[in-house]
Every structure is written in structure tokens, then in C-alpha cells.
Amino acid sequence: MPDSSALFDQLPPAPGVGYKPQHFTAIIEDASPVEWLEIHAENYVGAGGRPLAQLRALAERFPISVHGVGLSIGGEGRLDPDHLARLAHLCDWLNPASFSEHLAWSTHDGHFLNDLLPLPYTNATLTRVADHIDELQRAIGRPMLLENPSSYLAFAESTWSETDFLDEVARRTGCGLLLDVNNVFVSATNLGLDARAYIDAFALERVGEIHLGGHDSDADDHGAPLLIDSHGRKVADPVWALLDHTLARSGPKPILIEWDANIPDWPVLAAEAARAGAALDVLAKVPA
Amino acid sequence: MSVDQSGFHDALLDAERPVPKGLTDGHGRPAGKRFDIYRNNVAVSLTEALELSFPCVRRLIGEENFKRVAGVFLRRHPPRTPMLMQYGADFPTFLEGFEPLSHLGYLPDVARLEQALRLSYHAADAAPADAEQLARIPPEALADTRMELAPAVRLVRSNWPVHAIWAFNMEDGPKPQPDAQDVLITRPALDPLMTVTGAGTAEFVAALINGETLGTAHQRTTGAAADFDLAPALSLLLGGSAISKIQPAGDISCNA
């Protein structure tokens, strides 16, 4: 049996998708143009059974990215030691090509709220987030990628821009960054920022992975547009344009399509991945 | 003005509370309904987790009622771990004490069955014990033999026709008859399999789960169900890959 740890030590600069069990057979038969898969860590920390059996089979064929959605890196409390141990165990046996988590909190006072909740960008938050990332990276024995959030509101107390905050966390901890281009578009629309200026200010040299996903549209109390990061539809055209803007500056990166609600049949998801692949192909043809 | 996570957490779970001060729309105006996106994400995502885990309870009380019940449950019992596959362990007991549904006496046991199916699905893999090993044990040593059951094995004992109710709603099974049912869950491959057993077999499996020897388990069972027959009970377990270890008496590797 091939040693997957040696074959897949990093994500390729190619399209990947968030893995859903209903796509297992289609992926095993013909995954093209998808070259790698991402799983949510919390769905694969059970003791055994079908989820782990499928993951073992996929890991023999594809580089796997483990994406945590529940560690609460921005939480005021300490990281859950049991959950850290579960993540360490998963990384240990799977030896994934990448591990990522969010700039967010989700647990307070022992309650896990199952959402990526926002943080004020202050010096106190910076210290806490950096300490938690240090602790996580020690536990899993590898550097992680930290993802920029989708924002629906801002904190009056913030003293850092999000891009500077992320860069500083990365500088202090040695972690990389995961740039969710849809999140940038959503946050910029919701908070009245310039999405392209955000990309231009982002530490693109630290980016190990790009995320794309679909969003829904609503309006706030004043009738201003309010976009919601729902992962339940195709990636919007302005987000594809923002991806092109990003790639032109960052060069080729692994690009993931996230589709977590109203999950479509495989061909629809594969077509989104193909569009990400086309954006990378265009890049390859442009003289540097 | 700083917003701490305590206040944020409390306002998320209680829509009656005001939106914490210090949250804005990015232009200095109060965040207002923007905060409701987070409230909604928490309630909807946890309700969806419960819907996934308790589809038969949902079918029995209807989608709208389930959302209301889930809304009460998730605020009283928020998850204690990010492993949502474990969320809802308290749901059957919660349903027992939930007055508006007290006329559906079987509902808590249906929830217990669904919870057991889920735990079985995620339980650790275990290689089944070799049936031949049982045949090689001398008859006089059988009584002192212990059996370790696979982690995926679950037993749900009910005063209601709990499996029939499940099958009627989830698999077009026949109309349930008013009999008590005990359900053994095994996982011969990757999918949990339910078998309705006689009271004797359920008693026997319960004794094995408690770590009793075959002799004690058999004795206890025949005391409770005189017509209990050991051989079919053992083949049911062996056929379901439910026995992971057979430990004859005197085997020092056995953890008594």
C-alpha cells in the first residue's frame, strides 16, 4: 500500500471540495477536476464506523485538508483539552496535508454554540488568539492555517484592521492563513469596506489555501445589504471576479469550493470546482 | 465599550435580551438585527443537528412541533462538546419531562432508540470473535466463560412497541401492536441493524453487557424467562458480529 503521508504532504494548487458522504461513490469513480478534499474535523473524531472507513479510503487517493469548526480559538476561556486531544489524534493517524481553523469563538462556559462568532480586534484578543494557536500547533505537531471570518457586525472597541490582525497573529505564531474570498466579499459588503483593498492589504504570501462558497442576501435595519455566508448555493459572480483579483497577486493556490447546505449532486459541485480550475489555468497562461 | 463573551452568549440564547452595546454596523450605528444572524445560526444549526439525529421523533410530532421542542431543548441543554454527533444524549429524558408532549408516552423511548442507533453507527470498530473458539471450550468450562461485546452493540428495552413505531414511520412497517419490545442493535458491517428480541434474550444480553459469566447470565435469564434458549441467542450475537472477545475461565487476559 502506498504511504499516503509521503505522497500527500501538501495541498496542490488545484481545485478541491468540501467532502460530503453522499458524494463518496462519485468521487471514488471519477473525481475530476477535483484533486483534493477537505473534511470538517468534528465529523471525524468519532471512534469508528462508516465515517472513518470512508475517510481512510479517501486518504489513500487524495490529499486531505482537515478543517476545524469547533475549537473556539478566539474563546475567552481555555481551549477544551479533550477536543485538542481529539484533533491531535486525528492528525496523528491521518497525517493530513493541511490543518485549518477559524478566527472566531464558539464555546463559552462549557456551551458549544455551533457558530463562528465574531471577535473584537484588540491587543487582548491578539494575545489570546496567539496563545491558543501556539497551544493547538503544539498539540497537533504542525502549523495550522487561520481563516478570515464572515462579519455581520463590527466591534466599536477594535483597534486593529482585520488584515493587520491576521498578519500579526501569523507573525507571532508561525501559522499560515486561509483566505476565504467569499468571506471577504460578504464582510466588505456588510461593513461597507472595499473588498479589493482588503485583498491588497492581506498577507497573501502566508496564504496556504483559498475558500470559495455561496452566500444569501438580506438587508439590515436601514435597508443596507446584508449578505449571509450560507454555503448553500453557487459562488456568486462578483466573488469569482474577486478570486481573479486575488490570484493575480498571490499566484496559484489550492482553491476549495464549500457547499454545506442544500448539497447538490456531484456534477454541480464538480462544475464549480472546474470554474476554480479555469481561474488557475488562466493564471498559468499570463506571463509573469 | 467592550463586549464580553458572557454577555454575547446570553443574548444569543435569549432573544428577549437586548443586543449587547458596543456592536455596530461598521458605520457607528447599533448592530440591531445584524445580531439576529448569529442568534439564528445557533438555533437553526443546533435544531438541524437534532433533526438529523432524531428523524423518527420529528416524523411523529411533525416538523413545526419538532422545531419548537428543539428550540426549548437547545436553550436548556446547549451542547457541551463540539462533537455534535453526541448532541442530544439528554433529549430522551428531556422529552419525559416535557409536559406538552406527555400524551405521547412512547416518544422518549423512540428517542432512546434513535440515540442508540447513532452511538452504534459511530462506535469503535472491533474484529468479531471466532465462533469456533466457543465450540472448542469444554462444556464444563462454559459457565465460567465471559464475552466482551463489540462497542457498537446497544440494547434498548421498552414498555412500548418501540421498534414497530420506528419501522411504521421510517420504513413503511406494519401498524404497531401494543406490545412491549426489546431491541438489540448490532453492527455486522458499517450499518447498525435492529433485531426485536424476546425478553429472555434481552435479559441475557444485558447480563453480558454487565460483564457476567455465561453461567450467571444464563441463570439470571432463565429466572426471568423460563423458555429462554441459549443457542439462538448466541447465534444472534455471533451472526451480528456482536461478540468481540471470548474469554474462557482461567484466561488471565480476561478483565473480570
Side-chain angles (χ1 to χ4, degrees):
Chain A
M1 196 174 97
D3 179 359
S4 61
S5 61
L7 282 173
F8 303 133
D9 60 351
Q10 57 181 2
L11 300 177
V17 295
Y19 170 65
K20 299 295 164 195
Q22 51 266 56
H23 297 146
F24 180 77
T25 307
I27 288 171
I28 294 291
E29 280 171 7
D30 178 13
S32 64
V34 171
E35 294 189 25
W36 57 280
L37 301 169
E38 185 158 283
I39 57 159
H40 285 177
E42 283 68 18
N43 293 336
Y44 296 89
V45 287
R50 188 183 296 283
L52 296 191
Q54 287 191 341
L55 178 54
R56 282 191 296 268
L58 294 169
E60 284 177 14
R61 295 166 172 80
F62 300 95
I64 305 287
S65 161
V66 174
H67 191 51
V69 295
L71 187 61
S72 199
I73 279 177
E76 285 168 7
R78 59 181 297 218
L79 296 181
D80 175 353
D82 293 337
H83 200 55
L84 267 183
R86 286 182 206 115
L87 297 177
H89 175 69
L90 177 60
C91 285
D92 200 37
W93 75 259
L94 181 63
N95 195 14
S98 175
F99 183 95
S100 49
E101 249 287 358
H102 298 85
L103 179 60
W105 64 282
S106 52
T107 296
H108 182 74
D109 200 16
H111 292 159
F112 173 65
L113 298 164
N114 198 33
D115 193 25
L116 299 166
L117 299 164
L119 292 165
Y121 300 137
T122 62
N123 290 338
T125 308
L126 186 60
T127 304
R128 192 168 74 230
V129 166
D131 286 349
H132 284 165
I133 289 176
D134 284 340
E135 192 181 353
L136 171 65
Q137 292 185 145
R138 273 197 304 275
I140 63 176
R142 65 190 69 219
M144 63 161 281
L145 305 178
L146 183 65
E147 178 175 347
N148 60 300
S150 271
S151 297
Y152 308 116
L153 47 74
F155 287 77
E157 67 197 280
S158 287
T159 53
W160 290 75
S161 72
E162 189 169 283
T163 46
D164 285 350
F165 187 93
L166 285 163
D167 187 40
E168 181 63 15
V169 170
R171 204 188 55 74
R172 287 194 195 179
T173 63
C175 77
L177 299 175
L178 192 168
L179 175 58
D180 188 317
V181 173
N182 180 60
N183 287 358
V184 172
F185 185 78
V186 165
S187 298
T189 305
N190 291 344
L191 301 178
L193 305 169
D194 179 339
R196 291 183 180 228
Y198 181 104
I199 297 290
D200 296 345
F202 203 90
L204 294 174
E205 70 283 3
R206 298 190 192 275
V207 171
E209 179 182 344
I210 287 175
H211 272 186
L212 295 174
H215 59 251
D216 292 338
S217 303
D218 199 350
D220 78 355
D221 296 312
H222 307 281
L226 192 53
L227 302 184
I228 299 170
D229 180 35
S230 58
H231 297 180
R233 58 175 72 228
K234 288 185 176 181
V235 178
D237 284 340
V239 175
W240 286 112
L242 192 57
L243 173 72
D244 292 339
H245 179 85
T246 304
L247 291 176
R249 281 155 183 75
S250 69
K253 300 283 182 187
I255 303 177
L256 183 91
I257 306 293
E258 292 185 295
W259 202 321
D260 297 316
N262 310 318
I263 295 161
D265 289 341
W266 176 255
V268 177
L269 187 56
E272 287 285 272
R275 196 166 170 184
L280 287 165
D281 289 345
V282 167
L283 197 65
K285 289 181 189 119
V286 177
Chain B
M1 161 120 224
S2 77
V3 182
D4 67 16
Q5 291 176 0
S6 245
F8 205 106
H9 161 277
D10 294 349
L12 277 177
L13 291 179
D14 183 356
E16 302 293 310
R17 286 176 188 258
V19 173
K21 288 196 168 45
L23 301 177
T24 77
D25 66 349
H27 300 285
R29 296 181 295 201
K33 76 178 261 195
R34 290 163 174 262
F35 189 77
D36 292 341
I37 296 176
Y38 298 105
R39 279 181 170 142
N40 191 54
N41 283 350
V42 172
V44 168
S45 71
L46 293 179
T47 298
E48 281 172 0
L50 293 168
E51 284 170 346
L52 263 180
S53 300
F54 300 99
C56 188
V57 171
R58 181 176 180 233
R59 180 76 56 92
L60 284 163
I61 64 175
E63 199 175 328
E64 287 311 307
N65 282 332
F66 190 92
K67 282 192 200 307
R68 278 196 283 273
V69 176
V72 177
F73 176 76
L74 69 91
R75 287 172 176 83
R76 268 189 227 167
H77 301 273
R80 309 293 305 194
T81 154
M83 290 177 78
L84 283 186
M85 64 182 75
Q86 293 179 352
Y87 186 45
D90 303 328
F91 195 53
T93 310
F94 166 84
L95 288 174
E96 256 170 18
F98 191 66
E99 183 57 31
L101 293 174
S102 58
H103 59 292
L104 304 176
Y106 48 82
L107 210 54
D109 277 2
V110 172
R112 276 189 191 98
L113 182 65
E114 297 201 290
Q115 171 73 358
L117 284 170
R118 183 161 54 128
L119 291 176
S120 175
Y121 180 77
H122 288 288
D125 307 318
D130 178 11
E132 295 299 310
Q133 196 195 339
L134 199 59
R136 285 195 301 270
I137 298 174
E140 66 276 12
L142 267 180
D144 290 325
T145 297
R146 284 174 209 275
M147 292 183 161
E148 199 171 287
L149 299 186
V153 173
R154 291 289 184 283
L155 181 66
V156 177
R157 309 196 68 178
S158 177
N159 292 323
W160 300 92
V162 64
H163 178 267
I165 293 170
W166 185 91
F168 181 69
N169 286 282
M170 305 303 286
E171 292 184 337
D172 291 330
K175 202 167 171 352
Q177 301 301 309
D179 307 314
Q181 282 186 325
D182 295 321
V183 186
L184 173 69
I185 299 172
T186 57
R187 202 180 78 196
L190 293 173
D191 292 310
L193 183 70
M194 291 184 273
T195 310
V196 177
T197 71
T201 301
E203 196 70 31
F204 178 69
V205 172
L208 292 185
I209 289 174
N210 280 336
E212 309 283 7
T213 62
L214 270 185
T216 310
H218 187 246
Q219 208 173 0
R220 183 159 297 179
T221 305
T222 46
D227 58 346
F228 174 68
D229 194 353
L230 181 62
L234 283 176
S235 32
L236 172 65
L237 290 172
L238 288 165
S241 300
I243 301 172
S244 57
K245 205 181 274 181
I246 298 171
Q247 301 167 322
D251 180 346
I252 50 156
S253 71
C254 116
N255 50 334

